[in-house]
Amino acid sequence: MLKRLTLLAAAFMVTTALHAEPVTGGRANVVIQPEPPSLMLGLVQNGPTQMVAGQIYEGLLRYDEKLQPMPQLAKSWEVSEDGLTYTFNLHDNVKWHDGEPFTSADVVFSADVFLRETHARLRTSLEHVESITAPDDTTVVFKLKQPFGPFLGIFEAGTMPMVPKHIYEGTEYKSNPANNTPIGTGPFKFAEWEKGSHILLTKFEDYYEDGKPYLDEIYWHVIPDAASRAVAYETGVVDILPGGSVENFDVQRIADMENTCITDKGWEYFGPLSWMWLNNREGPTADKRFRQAVMYAMDRNFARDALWNGLGKVSTGPVSSSTRFYTDDVNQYDYDPEKAKALLEEMGYDGETVRLLPLPYGETWQRWAEAVKQNLGEVGIDVEIVSTDVAGWNQKLAEWDYDMAFTYLYQYGDPALGVARSYISTNIAKGSQWNNVEGYENTEVDDLFAKAAVAVTAEERQKLYDEVQQKLVDDVPVAWLLELGFPTIYRCNVKDLVTTAIGVNDGFKDTYIEK
Amino acid sequence: MADFWKRFSRNRGAVIGLAILAIVVLVAILAPLLFPQSPWRMVQRPFLPPFAMDQYPLGTDALGRNVISGLAYGAQVSLLVGLVSTVAALLIGIPIGALAGYFGGWADDALMRFTEFFQTVPSFALAIVLVAIFEPSIQSIIAAIAIVSWPPVARLVRGEVLSLRSREYVEAAILSGQTSLTIILRQVLPNTISPIIVLASLMVATAILLESSLSFLGLGDPNLMSWGYMIGAARTVIRQAWWLSFFPGVAILLTVLALNLIGEGLNDALNPRLARRGK
């Protein structure tokens, strides 16, 4: 598998070097799973909505795979020395899909009025913002109350999509009939949506970047059954399977087909990291040595190879390696059953049974729980798997009624956005499975995260995050498993599909299909 | 006894069934000796095909677990669930049927309406609901199977008791002042034993199938290796690894078939009328 990926990487470099002239025209047939509840990206931000609506709506910036900002609606930007003023210069020839011009007034309306009301995740980040102003039609200025390191990372389409002021101002956002015919500035415009069958997007002729997009149409196929999705690719009905459209065990078989390329890039912004919550409050998991023993006992390389087709990476700690300020300069927990046994002996573990909740998201996760149970059993930890459905899993985690539980969370590119929330003690509260569920309390860690979020320079932040990562990895508040690799599978003649840190979600702008 | 065996063995299918069942029971008992390692242990590379290595004659599954060892331990679970849930169903069904048949009248009406209440709900659907409510575990599965499979027992026993109730020896027992309980236990029930044994042997087979179906749907005890679980887990990779669903499927087929054949043999052997006709 690894070899295949290196080959792919090599092939990719060769093609970039040659970089054939993009071909105009054609239709991309893509699977969308599950069917999105809505395409109004300002109101709904779940996975499938981001994937389809990311072609219709745009943010001010895009991000490359190193999470460095790239121009989108903003053609350039400046950050003041004190880290408090961010100035964006917009393209001046941008039109909404209905022909109205896009101006800085739309940006102010979107960020300051619309999204503040509708977008919970962005609202938290916008708390650092003192004012958003538009000195002229193509300039927008964000003034912050205090420096906020991750600020330049929140302008991606799914996080801060630009919505048209002339349609939404003064209306009831959630019930506006325009939500059914979304109007954005993106390279593709909404054409039709037959519920349960397909969504059709067509090329926006007045797009502000010359020559783009190359495709005429994007046809999103709604196919509810995983096996049927695999068959749809095999029979040539669809040409692109975004991450998560087919079951893991089918990936290898499909990837082996002719003219088929596979990549696990395009998830860097989300940095999906899987781990096991370990209940730090009671039972054997309350003992740090037990938690370390769990880390040593798990053969995570095996899990990656057997269950995830060799895609993804063994995690070294709380921050995913694609997220900013990652460091691998931490204690490494390689597979070492002997060390695990020694730690268990040292703490005097008496064989008390620990309950393990698998993630109820299908076969892969079930098998994974079985493998971990076996790994832990071999060093003498008695594990009992508790079956549960999604509702039961949510409830058990929210009520802290578990010993160990699988999960995975997104990191949104910056530790302040997607990592701190799982470890700071102020985030301990019953009723949510997205906060500090494990009940880890460490004032030093709290301080470091707080300081790092508002530190001005990247060097300063890196230093603080290095320290917090080392502390966390020593304490093992949760048992980190893998940085998940969600493979995007596509015909090799579909070019430049995954070019950014959010992959297919905003990728079709650059995509073309070679004949 | 010799007479019984003679009549039983006249049914060749029954003897074959008994032989198969004996092998399954033997494997189940000897599983820990034959395969000292846990069936969950990941021993070889995943998806090792059958007959590729002598040590793993039936290959390995998606996590590299030994399939033949899983089959042996699965036999334990299947037989255990089959037997225990059948005994439990008999313990519910026989008293209800006996009381209804013996006392008749409103007691009969009440008990039979209660039985019908269970009979009208499709048994598999009810079993799924029960297991889902009580969290899947070996206890909840056995309980669910027992709860859905007792009504036929109750109806059978009631019918038998009804016909025995009016026999002279029962009336004699009543006249001699024996209590109802004594009459039911001493005079009536012993005479219903043969049809119950035949029914029970078939119920074991049904129970094994039910357990397999539940495990197949992911409602099995997640800590026990069972045949249904093996097929359920293999279903998704059936195009890559046919052997993962094939061998446990054969195991279920043979065991259930064996039990049905035995049931038929028992019916021949225990039914005096059939026996006489045969002679």
Coordinates of all heavy atoms in Angstrom, one line a residue, chain A residues 276 278-279 282-297 340 343-355 376 379-383 403-404 475-476 479:
Chain A
M276 N -9.3 6.7 21.9 CA -10.2 6.1 22.9 C -10.3 7.0 24.1 O -9.3 7.3 24.7 CB -9.8 4.7 23.4 CG -10.0 3.6 22.4 SD -9.9 2.0 23.3 CE -8.2 2.1 23.8
L278 N -10.6 7.7 27.8 CA -10.3 6.8 28.9 C -10.9 7.6 30.1 O -10.6 8.8 30.3 CB -8.8 6.6 29.1 CG -8.1 5.9 28.0 CD1 -6.6 5.9 28.2 CD2 -8.6 4.5 27.8
N279 N -11.8 7.0 30.9 CA -12.4 7.7 31.9 C -11.4 8.0 33.1 O -11.0 7.1 33.8 CB -13.6 6.9 32.5 CG -14.6 7.8 33.3 OD1 -14.1 8.8 33.9 ND2 -15.8 7.4 33.3
E282 N -12.6 7.5 37.4 CA -12.7 6.3 38.3 C -12.3 5.0 37.6 O -12.0 5.0 36.4 CB -14.2 6.2 38.7 CG -15.1 6.1 37.5 CD -16.6 6.1 37.8 OE1 -16.9 6.4 38.9 OE2 -17.4 5.9 36.8
G283 N -12.1 4.0 38.4 CA -11.7 2.7 37.9 C -10.2 2.7 37.5 O -9.5 3.7 37.8
P284 N -9.8 1.6 37.0 CA -8.3 1.5 36.6 C -7.9 2.6 35.7 O -6.7 3.1 35.8 CB -8.2 0.1 36.0 CG -9.5 -0.5 36.0 CD -10.5 0.4 36.6
T285 N -8.8 3.1 34.8 CA -8.4 4.1 33.8 C -8.1 5.5 34.5 O -7.6 6.4 33.9 CB -9.5 4.4 32.8 OG1 -10.7 4.5 33.5 CG2 -9.5 3.2 31.8
A286 N -8.4 5.6 35.8 CA -8.0 6.8 36.5 C -6.5 6.9 36.8 O -6.0 7.9 37.1 CB -8.8 6.9 37.8
D287 N -5.9 5.7 36.7 CA -4.4 5.6 37.0 C -3.6 5.9 35.8 O -3.8 5.2 34.8 CB -4.1 4.2 37.6 CG -2.7 4.2 38.2 OD1 -1.8 4.6 37.5 OD2 -2.6 3.7 39.4
K288 N -2.7 6.8 35.8 CA -1.9 7.2 34.7 C -1.1 6.0 34.1 O -1.0 5.8 32.9 CB -1.0 8.3 35.1 CG 0.1 8.8 34.1 CD 0.8 10.0 34.7 CE 2.2 10.0 34.3 NZ 3.0 11.1 34.9
R289 N -0.6 5.2 35.0 CA 0.2 4.0 34.6 C -0.7 3.0 33.8 O -0.2 2.4 32.8 CB 0.8 3.3 35.8 CG 1.9 4.1 36.4 CD 2.2 3.5 37.8 NE 1.1 3.7 38.7 CZ 1.2 3.4 40.0 NH1 2.3 3.0 40.6 NH2 0.1 3.6 40.8
F290 N -1.9 2.9 34.2 CA -2.8 2.0 33.4 C -3.0 2.6 32.0 O -3.0 1.9 31.0 CB -4.2 1.9 34.1 CG -5.2 1.0 33.5 CD1 -5.2 -0.3 33.8 CD2 -6.1 1.4 32.5 CE1 -6.1 -1.2 33.2 CE2 -6.9 0.6 31.9 CZ -6.9 -0.8 32.2
R291 N -3.2 3.9 31.9 CA -3.5 4.5 30.6 C -2.2 4.4 29.7 O -2.3 4.2 28.5 CB -3.8 6.0 30.8 CG -5.1 6.2 31.7 CD -5.7 7.6 31.5 NE -4.8 8.7 31.9 CZ -4.8 9.2 33.1 NH1 -5.7 8.8 34.1 NH2 -4.0 10.2 33.4
Q292 N -1.0 4.6 30.4 CA 0.2 4.4 29.6 C 0.3 2.9 29.1 O 0.7 2.7 27.9 CB 1.4 4.7 30.4 CG 1.5 6.2 30.6 CD 2.6 6.6 31.6 OE1 3.0 5.8 32.5 NE2 3.1 7.8 31.5
A293 N -0.1 2.0 30.0 CA 0.0 0.6 29.6 C -0.9 0.3 28.4 O -0.6 -0.4 27.5 CB -0.5 -0.3 30.8
V294 N -2.1 1.0 28.4 CA -3.0 0.8 27.2 C -2.3 1.2 26.0 O -2.4 0.6 24.9 CB -4.3 1.6 27.5 CG1 -5.1 1.7 26.2 CG2 -5.1 1.0 28.6
M295 N -1.6 2.4 26.0 CA -0.9 2.8 24.8 C 0.2 1.8 24.4 O 0.3 1.6 23.2 CB -0.2 4.2 25.1 CG -1.2 5.4 25.3 SD -2.1 5.7 23.8 CE -0.9 6.5 22.7
Y296 N 0.9 1.3 25.3 CA 1.9 0.3 24.9 C 1.4 -1.0 24.4 O 2.0 -1.7 23.6 CB 2.9 0.0 26.1 CG 3.9 1.1 26.4 CD1 3.9 1.8 27.6 CD2 4.8 1.5 25.4 CE1 4.9 2.8 27.8 CE2 5.7 2.5 25.6 CZ 5.7 3.1 26.9 OH 6.7 4.1 27.1
A297 N 0.2 -1.3 24.9 CA -0.4 -2.7 24.6 C -1.0 -2.7 23.2 O -1.1 -3.8 22.6 CB -1.4 -3.0 25.7
A340 N 3.9 -2.7 28.9 CA 2.6 -2.6 29.4 C 2.4 -3.4 30.6 O 1.8 -3.0 31.6 CB 1.6 -2.9 28.3
L343 N 4.1 -2.0 33.6 CA 3.3 -0.8 34.2 C 2.1 -1.3 35.0 O 1.8 -0.8 36.1 CB 2.9 0.1 33.1 CG 3.9 1.1 32.6 CD1 3.5 1.6 31.2 CD2 4.1 2.2 33.6
L344 N 1.4 -2.3 34.5 CA 0.3 -2.8 35.2 C 0.7 -3.5 36.5 O 0.0 -3.3 37.5 CB -0.5 -3.9 34.3 CG -1.2 -3.3 33.1 CD1 -1.7 -4.4 32.2 CD2 -2.3 -2.4 33.5
E345 N 1.8 -4.1 36.5 CA 2.3 -4.8 37.7 C 2.6 -3.7 38.8 O 2.3 -3.8 39.9 CB 3.5 -5.6 37.4 CG 3.9 -6.5 38.6 CD 4.6 -7.7 38.1 OE1 4.4 -8.1 36.9 OE2 5.4 -8.3 38.8
E346 N 3.3 -2.7 38.3 CA 3.7 -1.6 39.2 C 2.5 -0.9 39.9 O 2.6 -0.6 41.0 CB 4.5 -0.5 38.3 CG 5.2 0.5 39.2 CD 5.6 1.7 38.3 OE1 6.2 1.4 37.2 OE2 5.4 2.8 38.6
M347 N 1.4 -0.7 39.1 CA 0.3 -0.1 39.7 C -0.6 -1.1 40.5 O -1.4 -0.7 41.3 CB -0.6 0.6 38.7 CG -1.4 -0.4 37.8 SD -2.7 0.4 36.8 CE -4.1 0.3 37.9
G348 N -0.3 -2.4 40.4 CA -1.0 -3.4 41.1 C -2.4 -3.6 40.6 O -3.4 -3.7 41.3
Y349 N -2.6 -3.6 39.3 CA -3.9 -3.8 38.6 C -4.4 -5.2 39.0 O -3.7 -6.2 38.9 CB -3.7 -3.7 37.1 CG -4.9 -4.1 36.3 CD1 -6.1 -3.5 36.4 CD2 -4.8 -5.2 35.4 CE1 -7.2 -3.9 35.6 CE2 -5.9 -5.6 34.6 CZ -7.1 -4.9 34.7 OH -8.1 -5.3 34.0
D350 N -5.6 -5.2 39.5 CA -6.2 -6.5 40.0 C -7.1 -7.2 39.0 O -7.8 -8.1 39.4 CB -7.0 -6.2 41.3 CG -8.1 -5.2 41.0 OD1 -8.2 -4.7 39.9 OD2 -8.8 -4.8 42.0
G351 N -7.0 -6.9 37.8 CA -7.8 -7.6 36.8 C -9.2 -7.1 36.7 O -10.1 -7.8 36.1
E352 N -9.5 -6.0 37.3 CA -10.9 -5.4 37.2 C -11.3 -5.2 35.7 O -10.5 -4.8 34.9 CB -10.9 -4.1 37.9 CG -12.3 -3.5 38.1 CD -12.3 -2.1 38.8 OE1 -11.3 -1.8 39.5 OE2 -13.2 -1.4 38.6
T353 N -12.5 -5.6 35.4 CA -13.0 -5.5 34.1 C -13.2 -4.1 33.7 O -13.8 -3.3 34.4 CB -14.4 -6.3 33.9 OG1 -14.2 -7.6 34.4 CG2 -14.8 -6.3 32.5
V354 N -12.8 -3.7 32.5 CA -13.1 -2.4 32.0 C -14.0 -2.5 30.8 O -13.9 -3.4 29.9 CB -11.8 -1.6 31.5 CG1 -11.1 -1.1 32.8 CG2 -10.9 -2.5 30.7
R355 N -15.0 -1.6 30.7 CA -16.0 -1.7 29.6 C -15.5 -0.8 28.4 O -15.0 0.3 28.6 CB -17.3 -1.1 30.1 CG -18.0 -1.9 31.2 CD -19.1 -1.1 31.8 NE -18.5 0.1 32.5 CZ -19.2 1.1 32.8 NH1 -20.5 1.2 32.6 NH2 -18.6 2.2 33.4
L376 N -5.3 -5.7 24.5 CA -5.3 -5.5 25.9 C -5.4 -6.8 26.7 O -4.8 -6.9 27.7 CB -6.5 -4.5 26.3 CG -6.4 -3.1 25.6 CD1 -7.5 -2.3 26.2 CD2 -5.1 -2.5 25.9
V379 N -2.1 -8.4 27.5 CA -1.2 -7.9 28.6 C -1.9 -8.1 29.9 O -1.4 -7.6 30.9 CB -0.8 -6.5 28.4 CG1 0.0 -6.3 27.1 CG2 -2.0 -5.5 28.4
G380 N -3.1 -8.7 29.9 CA -3.8 -9.0 31.2 C -4.9 -8.1 31.5 O -5.4 -8.1 32.6
I381 N -5.3 -7.2 30.6 CA -6.4 -6.3 30.9 C -7.7 -7.0 30.5 O -7.8 -7.4 29.3 CB -6.3 -4.9 30.2 CG1 -5.0 -4.3 30.6 CG2 -7.4 -4.0 30.5 CD1 -4.7 -3.0 29.9
D382 N -8.6 -7.1 31.4 CA -9.9 -7.8 31.1 C -10.9 -6.7 30.5 O -11.3 -5.8 31.2 CB -10.4 -8.4 32.4 CG -11.7 -9.2 32.1 OD1 -11.8 -9.7 31.0 OD2 -12.6 -9.3 33.0
V383 N -11.2 -6.9 29.2 CA -12.0 -5.9 28.5 C -13.4 -6.6 28.2 O -13.4 -7.7 27.7 CB -11.4 -5.4 27.3 CG1 -12.3 -4.4 26.6 CG2 -10.0 -4.8 27.6
D403 N -15.9 3.2 30.5 CA -14.5 3.2 30.9 C -13.5 3.6 29.8 O -12.6 4.4 29.9 CB -14.1 1.8 31.4 CG -14.9 1.4 32.6 OD1 -15.1 2.3 33.5 OD2 -15.3 0.2 32.8
M404 N -13.8 3.0 28.6 CA -13.1 3.3 27.4 C -14.1 3.4 26.2 O -15.0 2.7 26.2 CB -12.0 2.3 27.1 CG -11.1 1.9 28.2 SD -9.6 1.1 27.7 CE -10.2 -0.6 27.4
D475 N 0.9 12.2 30.2 CA -0.3 11.8 31.1 C -1.3 10.9 30.4 O -2.1 10.3 31.1 CB -1.0 13.2 31.5 CG -0.3 13.8 32.6 OD1 0.6 13.2 33.2 OD2 -0.6 15.0 33.0
V476 N -1.3 10.8 29.1 CA -2.2 10.0 28.4 C -3.7 10.2 28.9 O -4.3 9.2 29.3 CB -1.8 8.5 28.5 CG1 -2.6 7.7 27.4 CG2 -0.4 8.3 28.3
A479 N -6.4 7.6 24.9 CA -5.5 6.8 24.1 C -5.6 7.1 22.6 O -6.5 6.6 22.0 CB -5.8 5.3 24.4

